[in-house]
Amino acid sequence: MAAAGSVGGADWAVVCDKFRTARTLSSVESRKDPETEPYRSKYSARALLQEVKQLLSAAEEGGEARLLAVRRAVLEYELGVNHTDTEELSAGEEHLQRCTQLLEPHRLSPDCVSLYIQAQNNLGILWSERDEIKTAQTYLESAEALYNQYMKEDGNPPLDPSEHFMAEEEKLTDQERSKRFEKAYTHTLYYLAQVYQHLEMIEKAAQYCHTTLKRQLEYCGYYPVEWALNAATLSQYYLSKQCFMESRHCLAAASVIFSQAGQVPSTEDSEAEQDQQDLRQRKAEIARCWIKYCLNLLQSCALSFQDNVGELDPDRQLELKAQRKKEEDEKENGRKKAVLFGTSDIYDSVLAMEEKVSSVYPLDFQEAREIFLVGQNYVQEAKEFFQVDGYVTDHIEIVQDHSALFKVLAFFEEDYERRCKMHKRRIDMLEPLYADLNPQYYLLISRQLQFELADTYYEMMDLKVAIGNRLEELDSHTIKKINSLAQLAIKYYELFLDSLRNPDKVFPEKLEEDVLRPAMVAKFHIARLYGKLITSDSKKQLENMQTSLEYYTFLVDYCEKYPDAVHAVETELELSKEMVGLLPTRMERLRAKLCPFI
Amino acid sequence: ALPLLNSPSVEGDTIKVYVRVRPPSEGTVLTDGDQGLCLSVLSSNTIRLHSKPEPKIFTFDYVANMETTQESVFSSVAKNIVESCMNGYNGTIFAYGQTGSGKTFTMMGPSDSDNFTHSLRGVIPRSFEYLFFLIEREKEKAGNGKSFLCKCSFIEIYNEQIFDLLDTASAKQMKKGVFVDGAVEQVLSSAAEAYQVLTMGWRNRPTSMNRESSRSHAVFTITVESMEKNNEVVNIRSSLLNLVDLAGSERQKDTHAEGLRLKEAGNINRSLSCLGQVITALVDVGNGKQRHICYRDSKLTFLLRDSLGGNAKTCIIANVHPGSRCFGETLSTLNFAQRAKLIKNKAVVNEDTQGNVS
């Protein structure tokens, strides 16, 4: 190993000292460099490295070619990193290439493998800075392959590059060597995650993010809060892919790691000492990710249970129940697919966290309600931080999710009266929010609230009609209820339509693509609502029919004028055309009844 | 199924993007096709970047070459926004680009002049003049029927903290609109007064060791309120004009910065700080499913939420330096501007009608 004594006439201890100083200059001192001379320390470090390189060259005759080659490779590596740090990419590339050339024959030996991988990492970074992502990818993938090969064939903790310029007594412990080696490899994976993201290989990028997080846990190189947020964010990726088990696992791990956040001794970085306010916000953010989890699970289940009119299909339900029985025996198979965050000390806590909420489709109201309740708890938790004053948009988004939870729960409820009550809960939470909101600043949210309120009233009215239809005869109380719900729905649809008018209160000739469908649906629903209003006064009835006809006609005329709009409202258009055909005849008949003597 | 109401990023008017190429510093002569120049302006809306192997051509709403005057920048960028502001629309003008690309010159003017009448004065002072000119004109037209109230605030965002350049403040969102809690609002009665507040605030920017001025955003906001009486009906309009000098875009730590930032900070114990960005990007390309992203945007995007895909007319001035040395930053500035064109805004008049028609 390292020849002590002299190197090219210089004392080895002096050489090591120069090397160590250069590294300190690069990593510690350089952070204090003034703005006017941002690279002062880097340049000083470079000068020292060049000195050491010359001392080594002078020692060329000293035999031990391999030892010299490796030491030279360490210097080339340091010089390469130094040049890229100071934005001299071409020079940096040359040094790094020389480093890998020197190491090529020995890259699988324990004294070279770590250095080789780090050189490859840095070449990857360098090419990515040139925007040559494909080239970066080849370097990083080959670093990954080398790590795997080394672990398979040897697996002993390899030397850290800095050890080549250390006195024998300073050498690192195996544990420390292993830690640094694994860290370098974690970086390889972390860079690859970014490369794949830039190449839009989304699935692969997600997998590498996941592995990076997992390794951070294993090797303890992370801030709990940041880690938890990353895991929670990753859970949202899995949600968008409908992988509920993976999503839940990420969230459970996020919650467990986050709960440790308060108990970590702070590192030298101020980021670890996030103040309480910040922690509370992060906690609320994670709660919001849980809300989305519960909501997505329920919604996507509801979607698969729907028959063609959007109601729960009991046959499909039974079918799925049978299927699930079969699957329960094979339950563990899915687990193997998922990457787990499995360090033994947190594994049990994560498991316990996961058991609080299902990750499979609920098959009946009871099961749906359990997921709903978990979601609702997280709604309360998120609202504690995101209060309406100070966090208007966040607060409203959370309430909108809460409302959506009720909506999807109502889908599983068979009793119409109780279903209606759930929708009433939505009204109760949304209406006061809407009333207080200044549409001047929150135009978009206002519109969303108008539309949702309208839709909820519309749904309640339909339920009341369905309940009424089961009765022998409509009692006056039910009639009143139906009419008032219909009127409220109309009111909010009209408010929404009014928000589209220009400053002179004129409704747009041609609707923007993004509001086309909502506007058309609003028109269509209003038409239908006027048709549902119950009145014993035939004149009034005629008026309502007339209004209804006008709204249906709007749809038909608009789509005739702008055929591009048809795709957005196919079903509604078909029904509107039908109604435009039917209504005048009905109105004629009614008129005939009203004044039989012409 | 319920129709989805789209998120703000796909609403109405697109953001206007104006690219301005600054001339190189005195004494350096660069000729087109020369080694020293990395771009050429092809027409009033296209620019060619001499990238290898293939040159890249970018198209924007307007491209201003090196000869473009301050007056002409104002006319094509800000004039229309100030007019809309008078009609009750919110408006925002951003300057974006690397340090030294001419942002401050474009927005403020030459750094050494406190002189409001300087022929090289920038967009902000010219906007003041034009705004008050329009106000006077309106007043004359309407006689006593119309009155105006203008107020301004001036804040700086540095390192995710808000500093009130007229005092101290923090940002909050209220049901009645985003506002900066405790920010001093000064009533303005003339362009000269506005300019005074601006220069005073500009000088107020705290300077300390290791504080890079190029890393701070300055946001100057004017609120214009008008009240019009028409037999018993009172019509109140109020609008905001945000004039923003953004921090240098190079080595951006901001959300959605372009370019790869693979590198881990030298510190051995740092966590992998970019990972969050990567994951966020993965979630972002999701398919419109409901999801929540933990990383909240920076204070700036929070404050200017209304301007970015909200209720406002917005223009971004992307400043670039033509020198070859700036190739990388110029490319990322142009890429950013290209993306900004995809953002759509929906502007509506901020109007409130009170009174009783009896």
Side-chain angles (χ1 to χ4, degrees):
Chain A
M1 284 302 306
S6 81
V7 175
D11 185 9
W12 179 240
V14 174
V15 171
C16 290
D17 195 49
K18 279 189 198 294
F19 182 85
R20 194 180 315 116
T21 311
R23 282 183 56 111
T24 313
L25 277 166
S26 260
S27 57
V28 183
E29 292 301 317
S30 67
R31 274 185 278 164
K32 300 175 211 155
D33 284 346
E35 203 189 327
T36 46
E37 296 178 86
Y39 297 141
R40 197 170 60 188
S41 306
K42 298 272 181 199
Y43 293 146
S44 314
R46 187 190 299 179
L48 280 172
L49 291 167
Q50 299 282 18
E51 262 180 66
V52 175
K53 197 172 154 180
Q54 293 203 306
L55 292 171
L56 279 189
S57 306
E60 200 81 46
E61 307 79 52
E64 293 221 59
R66 183 178 181 285
L67 176 71
L68 264 175
V70 175
R71 282 181 182 168
R72 199 168 295 142
V74 174
L75 286 171
E76 293 295 350
Y77 169 78
E78 292 288 342
L79 283 164
V81 173
N82 181 290
H83 281 86
T84 48
D85 280 349
T86 57
E87 299 177 60
E88 294 164 64
L89 294 189
S90 307
E93 186 194 352
E94 267 172 53
H95 285 293
L96 288 168
Q97 292 290 17
R98 237 174 283 150
C99 167
T100 51
Q101 277 154 14
L102 286 162
L103 293 176
E104 205 62 50
H106 324 294
R107 64 178 200 279
L108 273 166
S109 6
D111 60 339
C112 298
V113 67
S114 185
L115 176 60
Y116 194 89
I117 284 176
Q118 291 186 50
Q120 299 257 13
N121 278 357
N122 276 282
L123 281 162
I125 291 168
L126 189 140
W127 283 100
S128 80
E129 279 176 11
R130 290 175 171 165
D131 245 348
E132 301 270 350
I133 304 292
K134 288 270 186 217
T135 315
Q137 182 189 0
T138 52
Y139 282 110
L140 293 164
E141 282 177 350
S142 92
E144 179 185 31
L146 178 61
Y147 170 90
N148 288 326
Q149 195 185 349
Y150 178 82
M151 291 312 272
K152 212 166 85 187
E153 292 174 14
D154 187 322
N156 287 310
L159 245 62
D160 189 67
S162 63
E163 289 187 86
H164 295 287
F165 287 89
M166 272 185 193
E168 207 55 48
E169 62 274 12
E170 295 174 303
K171 297 268 156 127
L172 305 172
T173 61
D174 270 357
Q175 196 188 359
E176 180 61 24
R177 281 175 178 170
S178 175
K179 200 176 117 188
R180 293 191 187 188
F181 181 54
E182 294 299 349
K183 191 178 167 91
Y185 178 60
T186 303
H187 280 185
T188 305
L189 298 174
Y190 160 67
Y191 300 143
L192 275 171
Q194 295 179 67
V195 161
Y196 293 138
Q197 183 231 310
H198 279 272
L199 294 171
E200 288 172 5
M201 300 156 77
I202 300 302
E203 219 159 307
K204 209 156 176 167
Q207 183 197 325
Y208 276 70
C209 285
H210 200 147
T211 314
T212 305
L213 286 172
K214 187 171 167 238
R215 290 180 58 88
Q216 278 184 286
L217 275 191
E218 280 167 34
Y219 301 104
C220 297
Y222 66 97
Y223 297 132
V225 175
E226 195 178 75
W227 193 95
L229 281 180
N230 285 340
T233 309
L234 190 61
S235 78
Q236 305 298 290
Y237 164 79
Y238 287 122
L239 269 192
S240 66
K241 294 274 172 253
Q242 308 231 325
C243 305
F244 295 107
M245 193 165 58
E246 289 84 347
S247 181
R248 180 180 70 169
H249 187 68
C250 286
L251 280 168
S255 290
V256 169
I257 294 295
F258 185 86
S259 64
Q260 298 177 352
Q263 311 146 19
V264 206
S266 73
T267 59
E268 83 275 26
D269 208 313
S270 64
E271 273 182 59
E273 302 151 27
Q274 295 183 354
D275 57 28
Q276 283 309 306
Q277 176 76 354
D278 204 28
L279 278 178
R280 292 218 322 271
Q281 177 173 341
R282 304 290 172 227
K283 187 165 183 259
E285 300 273 15
I286 294 170
R288 290 177 72 178
C289 290
W290 274 112
I291 299 170
K292 295 290 188 195
Y293 169 83
C294 297
L295 191 54
N296 275 285
L297 182 57
L298 287 168
Q299 283 175 336
S300 113
C301 172
L303 207 60
S304 71
F305 280 16
Q306 266 178 21
D307 58 17
N308 54 11
V309 292
E311 285 284 315
L312 184 65
D313 180 349
D315 294 343
R316 174 109 181 93
Q317 203 176 359
L318 285 172
E319 196 182 309
L320 281 158
K321 277 197 170 170
Q323 200 181 321
R324 183 163 82 182
K325 253 199 141 37
K326 225 169 61 189
E327 275 171 11
E328 267 174 358
D329 315 327
E330 307 158 13
K331 200 172 176 179
E332 286 307 301
N333 287 355
R335 273 241 168 268
K336 294 194 178 74
K337 226 181 35 198
V339 190
L340 297 181
F341 296 124
T343 51
S344 51
D345 52 341
I346 68 152
Y347 189 76
D348 292 343
S349 325
V350 173
L351 215 57
M353 193 79 207
E354 284 186 311
E355 277 164 7
K356 291 181 185 172
V357 61
S358 164
S359 69
V360 292
Y361 280 174
L363 297 183
D364 54 36
F365 179 77
Q366 227 29 54
E367 290 178 7
R369 186 169 167 274
E370 279 169 26
I371 298 168
F372 165 87
L373 287 174
V374 172
Q376 183 164 260
N377 272 334
Y378 283 114
V379 166
Q380 300 313 341
E381 191 178 303
K383 274 187 2 194
E384 270 168 41
F385 179 84
F386 291 110
Q387 295 179 2
V388 70
D389 269 340
Y391 296 96
V392 179
T393 38
D394 293 294
H395 181 89
I396 292 179
E397 274 167 28
I398 294 165
V399 176
Q400 285 174 312
D401 282 349
H402 195 183
S403 161
L405 279 167
F406 268 110
K407 183 180 177 172
V408 71
L409 181 67
F411 170 86
F412 291 92
E413 174 59 72
E414 286 163 29
D415 181 315
Y416 283 180
E417 286 290 358
R418 287 179 41 178
R419 202 192 284 189
C420 220
K421 285 200 175 72
M422 290 178 194
H423 289 303
K424 182 70 176 69
R425 292 286 301 273
R426 298 170 62 199
I427 298 285
D428 292 344
M429 62 178 82
L430 296 171
E431 220 157 26
L433 271 185
Y434 172 74
D436 264 353
L437 199 65
N438 181 352
Q440 178 177 325
Y441 291 97
Y442 302 104
L443 176 71
L444 194 94
I445 308 182
S446 276
R447 282 183 184 167
Q448 288 174 344
L449 292 175
Q450 284 157 349
F451 206 96
E452 188 170 356
L453 281 162
D455 243 52
T456 313
Y457 277 123
Y458 181 83
E459 212 152 340
M460 285 170 77
M461 183 214 65
D462 265 345
L463 284 166
K464 287 287 178 202
V465 171
I467 293 165
N469 286 346
R470 294 178 189 169
L471 304 171
E472 288 291 297
E473 195 178 331
L474 281 182
D475 58 90
S476 70
H477 172 77
T478 311
I479 291 174
K480 257 204 186 112
K481 194 80 210 160
I482 291 172
N483 283 344
S484 92
L485 288 170
Q487 295 287 11
L488 284 161
I490 290 170
K491 169 184 135 182
Y492 282 108
Y493 280 127
E494 291 288 10
L495 279 169
F496 169 75
L497 290 169
D498 284 344
S499 81
L500 304 176
R501 293 173 186 274
N502 75 2
D504 303 325
K505 307 279 179 275
V506 181
F507 196 78
E509 184 67 23
K510 187 174 189 322
L511 290 158
E512 297 271 356
E513 187 58 35
D514 51 88
V515 291
L516 174 67
R517 180 162 168 81
M520 289 300 207
V521 169
K523 292 270 186 191
F524 178 76
H525 281 190
I526 294 172
R528 206 173 151 255
L529 285 157
Y530 273 106
K532 291 275 176 198
L533 288 170
I534 305 165
T535 170
S536 52
D537 175 350
S538 305
K539 258 210 175 92
K540 194 91 196 113
Q541 203 183 342
L542 205 54
E543 271 172 40
N544 289 341
M545 281 170 136
Q546 183 59 42
T547 314
S548 191
L549 179 60
E550 279 162 26
Y551 278 87
Y552 283 126
T553 310
F554 175 90
L555 244 80
V556 177
D557 290 351
Y558 187 94
C559 290
E560 224 156 83
K561 198 167 169 190
Y562 302 107
D564 288 353
V566 175
H567 73 95
V569 282
E570 274 173 21
T571 322
E572 289 81 0
L573 182 62
E574 206 176 310
L575 289 165
S576 297
K577 280 181 176 161
E578 210 171 300
M579 292 307 286
V580 170
L582 282 173
L583 270 175
T585 332
R586 277 193 210 164
M587 285 159 77
E588 268 322 301
R589 251 185 260 141
L590 189 61
R591 278 197 200 99
K593 253 198 249 167
L594 274 177
C595 29
F597 310 108
I598 297 173
Chain B
L2 251 192
L4 267 182
L5 283 171
N6 286 327
S7 65
S9 57
V10 283
E11 279 258 303
D13 315 321
T14 47
I15 287 180
K16 294 270 179 290
V17 179
Y18 181 104
V19 174
R20 187 184 199 185
V21 182
R22 67 159 288 172
S25 316
E26 299 273 334
T28 48
V29 183
L30 302 171
T31 49
D32 198 3
D34 178 340
Q35 285 300 306
L37 214 57
C38 72
L39 55 82
S40 6
V41 175
L42 302 181
S43 73
S44 62
N45 59 10
T46 50
I47 190 167
R48 183 173 59 209
L49 196 64
H50 309 315
S51 49
K52 296 198 168 50
E54 290 291 303
K56 284 192 175 75
I57 302 217
F58 292 88
T59 306
F60 296 103
D61 294 297
Y62 197 91
V63 176
N65 61 19
M66 298 181 207
E67 281 78 51
T68 309
T69 62
Q70 295 285 69
E71 170 57 35
S72 132
V73 173
F74 169 76
S75 299
S76 25
V77 176
K79 214 168 167 179
N80 180 280
I81 289 185
V82 176
E83 283 163 9
S84 307
C85 221
M86 287 295 294
N87 297 326
Y89 292 94
N90 293 339
T92 299
I93 302 167
F94 288 104
Y96 183 89
Q98 73 179 109
T99 306
S101 61
K103 289 193 305 292
T104 304
F105 180 82
T106 297
M107 292 306 277
M108 303 280 289
S111 52
D112 50 4
S113 92
D114 278 353
N115 184 347
F116 184 24
T117 55
H118 198 294
S119 63
L120 291 178
R121 66 194 185 280
V123 165
I124 296 180
R126 286 170 199 269
S127 301
F128 295 160
E129 289 158 45
Y130 191 54
L131 180 70
F132 282 97
F133 162 77
L134 291 175
I135 287 176
E136 287 310 313
R137 207 178 60 179
E138 281 289 306
K139 277 186 180 161
E140 273 169 34
K141 264 202 315 210
N144 277 344
K146 205 163 183 181
S147 55
F148 287 88
L149 175 63
C150 288
K151 288 176 293 194
C152 72
S153 63
F154 194 10
I155 57 170
E156 185 192 32
I157 302 171
Y158 180 76
N159 205 358
E160 284 302 282
Q161 290 182 59
I162 295 186
F163 300 89
D164 186 349
L165 295 176
L166 312 179
D167 202 15
T168 54
S170 70
K172 245 182 151 176
Q173 219 189 358
M174 304 306 274
K175 284 171 291 197
K176 297 295 168 207
V178 174
F179 88 125
V180 178
D181 189 11
V184 170
E185 281 198 317
Q186 228 153 312
V187 176
L188 303 173
S189 57
S190 70
E193 211 172 293
Y195 194 71
Q196 224 172 6
V197 174
L198 177 71
T199 43
M200 187 191 80
W202 198 249
R203 279 195 223 107
N204 263 357
R205 293 200 300 171
T207 43
S208 65
M209 273 299 291
N210 67 36
R211 182 186 163 97
E212 306 163 73
S213 58
S214 60
R215 304 285 330 124
S216 75
H217 312 287
V219 185
F220 193 94
T221 307
I222 301 184
T223 316
V224 184
E225 285 183 23
S226 68
M227 198 163 79
E228 195 170 16
K229 279 197 180 132
N230 262 335
N231 17 344
E232 296 306 307
V233 179
V234 184
N235 221 343
I236 296 174
R237 286 183 174 185
S238 102
S239 49
L240 295 172
L241 177 61
N242 296 304
L243 303 157
V244 188
D245 185 359
L246 286 174
S249 56
E250 68 279 11
R251 288 184 202 76
Q252 277 273 38
K253 284 208 198 66
D254 282 5
T255 33
H256 315 303
E258 190 47 36
L260 262 189
R261 294 285 171 253
L262 281 175
K263 197 125 190 189
E264 176 68 351
N267 178 353
I268 295 293
N269 280 331
R270 275 209 41 81
S271 64
L272 309 172
S273 53
C274 293
L275 193 68
Q277 289 175 28
V278 180
I279 302 173
T280 298
L282 300 183
V283 181
D284 258 340
V285 295
N287 43 11
K289 277 246 171 295
Q290 294 233 357
R291 57 202 187 275
H292 177 65
I293 296 175
C294 291
Y295 292 92
R296 213 176 85 195
D297 288 351
S298 67
K299 282 267 194 320
L300 181 77
T301 33
F302 176 63
L303 266 178
L304 298 170
R305 197 175 277 209
D306 292 336
S307 319
L308 297 165
N311 171 22
K313 298 200 171 199
T314 301
C315 176
I316 291 181
I317 306 174
N319 291 275
V320 291
H321 191 295
S324 298
R325 297 206 49 189
C326 303
F327 175 85
E329 296 297 348
T330 297
L331 176 62
S332 77
T333 299
L334 293 176
N335 279 332
F336 169 87
Q338 200 80 45
R339 276 206 318 278
K341 275 173 50 174
L342 303 174
I343 302 172
K344 286 183 173 183
N345 270 4
K346 177 60 107 203
V348 292
V349 169
N350 302 318
E351 197 158 41
D352 187 10
T353 309
Q354 305 166 331
N356 41 6
V357 190
S358 41

